[in-house]
Amino acid sequence: MAKEYTQEYHAVGNKMEGENVRFDYVYGFAYNKVLYTGQTEFQKIELFDTPFFGKLLKLDGQFQTSEKDEFFYHEPQTQVPMCAHPRPESVLIIGGGDGGILKNVLMHKTVKRAVMVEIDPGVVEFSMKYLTSVCGEAFKDKRTQLIIGDGKRFVEETQEKFDVIILDLTDPIGPSKALYTREFYKKLSGLLKKGGLLQLHIELCVTRPEISRQIFQSLSSVFKYNCPFASYVPLYGGLMAFCTNSQDLDVSKVKAGVIEKRLKDRGVKNLKLYNGQWHEASFKLPNFLKKLYI
Ligand code: SAM
Protein backbone atom coordinates (compact mmCIF):
# COMPACT_ATOMS: atom_id res chain seq x y z
CA MET A 1 0.00 0.00 0.00
CA ALA A 2 1.32 3.48 -0.86
CA LYS A 3 2.71 5.42 2.09
CA GLU A 4 0.68 8.47 3.05
CA TYR A 5 2.28 11.85 3.64
CA THR A 6 0.84 15.01 5.06
CA GLN A 7 1.56 18.16 3.07
CA GLU A 8 2.98 21.07 5.07
CA TYR A 9 3.47 24.52 3.52
CA HIS A 10 5.75 27.24 4.68
CA ALA A 11 5.45 30.84 3.55
CA VAL A 12 8.17 33.45 3.20
CA GLY A 13 7.52 37.13 2.59
CA ASN A 14 9.56 39.99 1.19
CA LYS A 15 8.18 42.84 3.26
CA MET A 16 8.72 43.21 6.96
CA GLU A 17 7.08 46.08 8.78
CA GLY A 18 7.42 45.76 12.53
CA GLU A 19 6.68 42.12 13.18
CA ASN A 20 4.33 41.81 10.17
CA VAL A 21 5.47 39.72 7.24
CA ARG A 22 3.64 39.82 3.91
CA PHE A 23 3.72 36.44 2.17
CA ASP A 24 4.44 36.67 -1.55
CA TYR A 25 6.09 33.33 -2.19
CA VAL A 26 5.17 29.93 -0.79
CA TYR A 27 6.88 26.56 -0.88
CA GLY A 28 6.36 23.37 1.05
CA PHE A 29 7.41 19.87 1.95
CA ALA A 30 5.77 16.57 2.76
CA TYR A 31 6.20 14.80 6.09
CA ASN A 32 5.07 11.53 7.49
CA LYS A 33 5.34 12.29 11.21
CA VAL A 34 5.84 15.12 13.70
CA LEU A 35 8.56 13.62 15.92
CA TYR A 36 8.56 16.34 18.57
CA THR A 37 6.81 19.54 19.42
CA GLY A 38 7.58 21.60 22.53
CA GLN A 39 8.35 25.03 23.93
CA THR A 40 11.67 26.20 25.41
CA GLU A 41 12.02 29.38 27.45
CA PHE A 42 12.66 31.25 24.17
CA GLN A 43 10.92 29.55 21.27
CA LYS A 44 8.73 26.77 19.93
CA ILE A 45 10.68 23.69 18.76
CA GLU A 46 9.31 21.25 16.19
CA LEU A 47 10.96 18.24 14.58
CA PHE A 48 9.49 16.63 11.46
CA ASP A 49 10.34 13.31 9.84
CA THR A 50 10.35 14.01 6.09
CA PRO A 51 11.13 11.88 3.02
CA PHE A 52 13.15 14.62 1.27
CA PHE A 53 15.04 16.38 4.09
CA GLY A 54 15.24 13.62 6.71
CA LYS A 55 14.74 15.09 10.19
CA LEU A 56 13.86 18.77 9.88
CA LEU A 57 14.05 21.40 12.64
CA LYS A 58 11.77 24.41 12.95
CA LEU A 59 12.00 27.18 15.58
CA ASP A 60 9.00 29.45 16.04
CA GLY A 61 7.65 28.16 12.72
CA GLN A 62 10.83 29.02 10.77
CA PHE A 63 12.97 26.38 9.03
CA GLN A 64 16.42 26.09 10.63
CA THR A 65 18.15 22.98 9.34
CA SER A 66 17.67 19.42 8.19
CA GLU A 67 19.72 16.25 8.10
CA LYS A 68 19.96 15.95 4.33
CA ASP A 69 20.44 19.53 3.19
CA GLU A 70 22.36 21.11 6.10
CA PHE A 71 25.56 21.35 4.05
CA PHE A 72 23.93 23.72 1.54
CA TYR A 73 23.88 26.34 4.28
CA HIS A 74 26.61 25.37 6.76
CA GLU A 75 29.45 24.94 4.25
CA PRO A 76 29.23 28.33 2.51
CA GLN A 77 28.54 30.09 5.80
CA THR A 78 31.59 28.53 7.47
CA GLN A 79 34.10 27.45 4.87
CA VAL A 80 34.21 30.79 3.02
CA PRO A 81 35.58 32.81 5.97
CA MET A 82 37.59 29.91 7.43
CA CYS A 83 39.41 29.23 4.16
CA ALA A 84 39.78 32.88 3.21
CA HIS A 85 41.58 33.54 6.51
CA PRO A 86 45.27 32.57 6.34
CA ARG A 87 45.35 31.07 9.84
CA PRO A 88 42.08 31.04 11.84
CA GLU A 89 42.92 30.09 15.41
CA SER A 90 40.13 31.71 17.44
CA VAL A 91 36.52 31.66 16.26
CA LEU A 92 33.33 33.10 17.75
CA ILE A 93 29.92 31.75 16.73
CA ILE A 94 26.78 33.58 17.84
CA GLY A 95 23.62 31.47 17.71
CA GLY A 96 24.19 28.23 15.82
CA GLY A 97 22.44 26.00 18.38
CA ASP A 98 22.15 23.06 15.99
CA GLY A 99 25.98 22.76 15.91
CA GLY A 100 26.38 22.65 12.11
CA ILE A 101 28.59 25.75 11.95
CA LEU A 102 30.67 24.58 14.92
CA LYS A 103 31.24 21.20 13.25
CA ASN A 104 32.54 22.92 10.09
CA VAL A 105 34.78 25.33 12.07
CA LEU A 106 36.41 22.47 14.00
CA MET A 107 37.34 20.66 10.76
CA HIS A 108 40.24 23.16 10.51
CA LYS A 109 43.15 21.97 12.59
CA THR A 110 44.45 25.56 12.88
CA VAL A 111 41.56 26.23 15.30
CA LYS A 112 42.65 26.37 18.94
CA ARG A 113 39.48 27.83 20.41
CA ALA A 114 35.85 27.98 19.24
CA VAL A 115 33.49 29.97 21.46
CA MET A 116 29.78 29.52 20.76
CA VAL A 117 27.24 31.84 22.40
CA GLU A 118 23.70 30.48 22.08
CA ILE A 119 20.75 31.98 23.91
CA ASP A 120 18.68 28.81 24.10
CA PRO A 121 20.15 25.72 25.83
CA GLY A 122 17.05 23.82 24.68
CA VAL A 123 18.20 23.96 21.03
CA VAL A 124 21.67 22.58 21.86
CA GLU A 125 20.29 19.74 23.99
CA PHE A 126 17.74 18.96 21.32
CA SER A 127 20.33 18.84 18.52
CA MET A 128 22.69 16.61 20.53
CA LYS A 129 19.82 14.18 20.98
CA TYR A 130 18.02 14.28 17.61
CA LEU A 131 20.33 15.93 15.05
CA THR A 132 23.66 14.19 15.55
CA SER A 133 24.33 14.10 11.81
CA VAL A 134 24.23 17.93 11.83
CA CYS A 135 26.40 18.60 14.92
CA GLY A 136 28.58 15.46 14.90
CA GLU A 137 30.88 15.46 17.96
CA ALA A 138 31.35 19.24 17.88
CA PHE A 139 29.92 19.97 21.33
CA LYS A 140 32.28 17.39 22.90
CA ASP A 141 35.44 18.76 21.22
CA LYS A 142 37.90 20.11 23.81
CA ARG A 143 38.44 23.29 21.72
CA THR A 144 34.75 24.19 22.10
CA GLN A 145 33.52 26.58 24.78
CA LEU A 146 29.72 26.75 24.84
CA ILE A 147 28.33 29.83 26.55
CA ILE A 148 24.59 29.94 27.16
CA GLY A 149 23.52 33.57 26.94
CA ASP A 150 22.54 36.48 24.74
CA GLY A 151 25.05 37.08 21.94
CA LYS A 152 24.53 40.84 22.14
CA ARG A 153 25.38 40.93 25.82
CA PHE A 154 28.45 38.72 25.30
CA VAL A 155 29.76 41.06 22.58
CA GLU A 156 29.25 44.10 24.82
CA GLU A 157 31.12 42.53 27.74
CA THR A 158 33.94 40.41 26.32
CA GLN A 159 37.54 41.60 26.08
CA GLU A 160 38.54 38.73 23.79
CA LYS A 161 39.33 39.17 20.07
CA PHE A 162 38.79 36.66 17.28
CA ASP A 163 40.08 35.77 13.82
CA VAL A 164 36.64 34.79 12.52
CA ILE A 165 33.17 35.67 13.84
CA ILE A 166 30.14 33.88 12.42
CA LEU A 167 26.56 34.95 13.12
CA ASP A 168 24.23 31.98 12.72
CA LEU A 169 21.01 33.52 13.89
CA THR A 170 17.32 33.04 13.41
CA ASP A 171 15.66 35.55 11.05
CA PRO A 172 15.63 39.19 12.22
CA ILE A 173 12.55 38.88 14.41
CA GLY A 174 12.34 37.82 18.09
CA PRO A 175 15.55 37.30 20.16
CA SER A 176 17.90 37.93 17.24
CA LYS A 177 16.46 41.25 15.99
CA ALA A 178 18.94 43.47 17.87
CA LEU A 179 21.83 41.52 16.32
CA TYR A 180 21.04 42.70 12.78
CA THR A 181 21.90 46.36 13.41
CA ARG A 182 24.70 48.72 12.39
CA GLU A 183 25.52 49.34 16.07
CA PHE A 184 26.01 45.62 16.64
CA TYR A 185 28.21 45.26 13.53
CA LYS A 186 30.38 48.13 14.82
CA LYS A 187 30.88 46.30 18.11
CA LEU A 188 31.73 43.10 16.24
CA SER A 189 34.28 44.97 14.13
CA GLY A 190 36.01 45.94 17.38
CA LEU A 191 36.24 42.25 18.39
CA LEU A 192 38.12 41.21 15.26
CA LYS A 193 41.89 40.74 15.26
CA LYS A 194 43.84 42.30 12.38
CA GLY A 195 42.80 40.53 9.17
CA GLY A 196 39.70 39.20 10.96
CA LEU A 197 36.45 38.33 9.19
CA LEU A 198 32.79 38.68 10.09
CA GLN A 199 30.51 36.20 8.33
CA LEU A 200 26.71 36.18 8.29
CA HIS A 201 23.76 35.31 6.12
CA ILE A 202 21.98 38.31 4.69
CA GLU A 203 18.64 36.66 4.03
CA LEU A 204 16.92 35.26 0.93
CA CYS A 205 17.95 37.59 -1.87
CA VAL A 206 15.23 36.66 -4.39
CA THR A 207 12.20 36.35 -2.13
CA ARG A 208 13.19 38.93 0.52
CA PRO A 209 15.45 41.35 -1.38
CA GLU A 210 14.56 44.45 0.59
CA ILE A 211 15.55 42.93 3.92
CA SER A 212 18.72 41.55 2.33
CA ARG A 213 19.66 44.95 0.94
CA GLN A 214 19.04 46.65 4.28
CA ILE A 215 21.37 44.24 6.09
CA PHE A 216 24.02 44.68 3.38
CA GLN A 217 23.83 48.46 3.62
CA SER A 218 24.31 48.36 7.41
CA LEU A 219 27.37 46.16 6.93
CA SER A 220 28.86 48.34 4.21
CA SER A 221 28.55 51.40 6.43
CA VAL A 222 30.83 49.69 8.98
CA PHE A 223 33.33 47.49 7.09
CA LYS A 224 35.76 48.47 4.33
CA TYR A 225 35.33 45.18 2.44
CA ASN A 226 31.90 43.56 2.05
CA CYS A 227 31.81 40.49 -0.19
CA PRO A 228 28.28 39.21 -0.85
CA PHE A 229 27.57 35.85 -2.51
CA ALA A 230 24.53 33.61 -2.86
CA SER A 231 24.00 29.88 -2.74
CA TYR A 232 20.92 27.70 -3.17
CA VAL A 233 19.52 26.24 0.07
CA PRO A 234 16.60 23.84 -0.60
CA LEU A 235 15.15 24.14 2.91
CA TYR A 236 14.98 27.93 2.66
CA GLY A 237 13.20 27.72 -0.70
CA GLY A 238 15.75 29.55 -2.82
CA LEU A 239 18.94 31.56 -3.04
CA MET A 240 20.36 32.46 0.35
CA ALA A 241 22.69 35.44 0.39
CA PHE A 242 25.76 35.62 2.60
CA CYS A 243 28.31 38.34 3.21
CA THR A 244 31.93 38.17 4.38
CA ASN A 245 33.12 41.44 5.91
CA SER A 246 36.49 42.78 6.92
CA GLN A 247 38.42 45.99 7.54
CA ASP A 248 41.52 44.65 5.80
CA LEU A 249 40.93 41.50 3.73
CA ASP A 250 39.03 41.21 0.43
CA VAL A 251 38.00 37.54 0.48
CA SER A 252 36.75 37.65 -3.11
CA LYS A 253 40.38 37.94 -4.25
CA VAL A 254 41.52 34.65 -2.66
CA LYS A 255 42.30 32.25 -5.51
CA ALA A 256 41.05 28.70 -5.93
CA GLY A 257 44.55 27.21 -5.61
CA VAL A 258 45.11 28.96 -2.25
CA ILE A 259 41.78 27.62 -0.94
CA GLU A 260 42.58 24.07 -2.09
CA LYS A 261 45.99 24.20 -0.38
CA ARG A 262 44.48 25.44 2.87
CA LEU A 263 41.82 22.71 2.84
CA LYS A 264 44.52 20.08 2.31
CA ASP A 265 47.01 21.49 4.86
CA ARG A 266 44.30 21.78 7.52
CA GLY A 267 42.94 18.27 6.94
CA VAL A 268 39.46 19.39 5.81
CA LYS A 269 37.91 16.50 3.89
CA ASN A 270 34.58 15.22 2.58
CA LEU A 271 32.90 18.56 1.98
CA LYS A 272 29.82 18.21 -0.20
CA LEU A 273 29.61 21.72 -1.65
CA TYR A 274 32.62 23.94 -1.03
CA ASN A 275 35.91 23.89 -2.97
CA GLY A 276 38.43 26.39 -4.32
CA GLN A 277 36.75 26.93 -7.69
CA TRP A 278 33.37 27.41 -6.04
CA HIS A 279 34.91 30.05 -3.74
CA GLU A 280 36.38 32.01 -6.64
CA ALA A 281 33.21 31.77 -8.77
CA SER A 282 30.79 32.69 -5.99
CA PHE A 283 31.91 36.30 -5.85
CA LYS A 284 31.11 36.84 -9.55
CA LEU A 285 27.60 38.14 -8.99
CA PRO A 286 24.70 37.99 -11.45
CA ASN A 287 23.42 41.39 -12.59
CA PHE A 288 20.34 41.43 -10.34
CA LEU A 289 22.53 40.95 -7.26
CA LYS A 290 25.06 43.56 -8.36
CA LYS A 291 22.14 45.95 -8.65
CA LEU A 292 20.73 44.93 -5.29
CA TYR A 293 23.93 45.39 -3.30
CA ILE A 294 26.18 47.81 -5.12
N1 SAM B 1 20.76 28.42 9.99
C1 SAM B 1 19.65 28.95 10.65
C2 SAM B 1 18.89 29.97 9.87
O1 SAM B 1 19.51 30.83 9.25
O2 SAM B 1 17.67 29.89 9.84
C3 SAM B 1 20.03 29.42 12.03
C4 SAM B 1 20.12 28.21 12.87
S1 SAM B 1 20.54 28.36 14.53
C5 SAM B 1 19.53 27.08 15.18
C6 SAM B 1 19.82 29.86 15.12
C7 SAM B 1 20.02 30.05 16.61
O3 SAM B 1 20.15 31.42 16.95
C8 SAM B 1 18.85 29.52 17.46
O4 SAM B 1 19.26 28.34 18.12
C9 SAM B 1 18.54 30.68 18.42
O5 SAM B 1 18.26 30.25 19.74
C10 SAM B 1 19.84 31.50 18.33
N2 SAM B 1 19.69 32.90 18.75
C11 SAM B 1 18.69 33.77 18.43
N3 SAM B 1 18.89 34.95 19.03
C12 SAM B 1 20.06 34.85 19.73
C13 SAM B 1 20.79 35.75 20.57
N4 SAM B 1 20.34 36.99 20.80
N5 SAM B 1 21.95 35.30 21.13
C14 SAM B 1 22.40 34.04 20.90
N6 SAM B 1 21.73 33.14 20.13
C15 SAM B 1 20.58 33.54 19.56
Side-chain angles (χ1 to χ4, degrees):
M1 205 174 84
K3 203 168 177 184
E4 296 219 342
Y5 292 106
T6 311
Q7 303 295 318
E8 156 93 0
Y9 294 97
H10 177 77
V12 290
N14 69 0
K15 286 260 189 261
M16 196 176 283
E17 287 144 12
E19 299 287 303
N20 298 320
V21 177
R22 186 182 84 199
F23 298 124
D24 292 338
Y25 171 77
V26 178
Y27 65 100
F29 67 94
Y31 66 93
N32 50 20
K33 209 172 171 192
V34 180
L35 296 171
Y36 180 90
T37 174
Q39 179 74 37
T40 71
E41 190 191 333
F42 295 94
Q43 49 213 343
K44 183 177 178 194
I45 295 198
E46 293 164 284
L47 191 70
F48 295 84
D49 181 25
T50 76
F52 188 77
F53 292 106
K55 283 192 209 132
L56 181 160
L57 174 71
K58 269 179 151 189
L59 294 176
D60 275 348
Q62 303 291 318
F63 292 137
Q64 300 297 311
T65 194
S66 81
E67 285 181 319
K68 290 190 193 164
D69 90 327
E70 58 92 19
F71 68 92
F72 281 102
Y73 171 82
H74 290 134
E75 287 190 21
Q77 173 80 319
T78 319
Q79 298 302 340
V80 167
M82 291 301 288
C83 292
H85 194 287
R87 193 170 176 81
E89 293 184 348
S90 55
V91 180
L92 171 64
I93 301 161
I94 300 182
D98 55 59
I101 297 287
L102 184 62
K103 179 181 76 178
N104 273 271
V105 162
L106 294 168
M107 287 176 187
H108 293 252
K109 63 182 183 197
T110 51
V111 173
K112 294 182 177 157
R113 177 166 160 72
V115 179
M116 186 173 127
V117 186
E118 162 61 58
I119 205 166
D120 191 344
V123 180
V124 177
E125 283 157 25
F126 191 85
S127 301
M128 287 175 81
K129 194 165 168 192
Y130 296 110
L131 291 170
T132 45
S133 63
V134 175
C135 61
E137 298 292 300
F139 290 112
K140 297 181 188 147
D141 193 296
K142 58 181 186 322
R143 296 169 292 170
T144 297
Q145 183 188 4
L146 174 64
I147 296 173
I148 298 298
D150 178 15
K152 184 165 178 283
R153 189 156 176 201
F154 174 85
V155 165
E156 280 161 2
E157 292 176 356
T158 188
Q159 301 299 318
E160 195 171 348
K161 297 208 172 194
F162 300 90
D163 294 310
V164 174
I165 300 178
I166 303 175
L167 305 186
D168 185 31
L169 293 161
T170 36
D171 291 344
I173 38 174
S176 66
K177 198 174 172 186
L179 287 75
Y180 283 90
T181 60
R182 182 174 189 271
E183 291 63 40
F184 189 62
Y185 301 144
K186 274 173 96 172
K187 291 203 175 93
L188 289 171
S189 170
L191 293 194
L192 288 172
K193 291 184 187 170
K194 188 157 174 44
L197 301 171
L198 168 67
Q199 175 72 29
L200 66 157
H201 78 70
I202 58 168
E203 276 283 356
L204 291 155
C205 52
V206 175
T207 51
R208 305 173 84 176
E210 289 162 30
I211 303 168
S212 187
R213 195 221 299 265
Q214 277 167 24
I215 302 172
F216 180 81
Q217 283 176 341
S218 302
L219 289 164
S220 59
S221 70
V222 173
F223 289 91
K224 183 170 178 199
Y225 297 103
N226 312 96
C227 299
F229 61 96
S231 193
Y232 173 61
V233 182
L235 185 61
Y236 303 156
L239 264 189
M240 188 69 166
F242 301 84
C243 193
T244 318
N245 309 275
S246 177
Q247 302 298 10
D248 21 48
L249 181 67
D250 181 350
V251 302
S252 69
K253 298 269 166 28
V254 184
K255 296 287 176 210
V258 173
I259 299 289
E260 287 301 334
K261 184 169 185 320
R262 287 177 183 168
L263 287 168
K264 191 163 176 261
D265 291 350
R266 298 175 194 174
V268 182
K269 289 189 198 121
N270 302 324
L271 296 177
K272 291 185 181 148
L273 178 147
Y274 183 82
N275 60 44
Q277 286 182 333
W278 187 92
H279 180 104
E280 224 183 287
S282 292
F283 295 102
K284 315 279 186 240
L285 297 185
N287 290 344
F288 74 93
L289 285 185
K290 279 191 185 172
K291 198 170 164 204
L292 186 65
Y293 298 129
I294 316 291

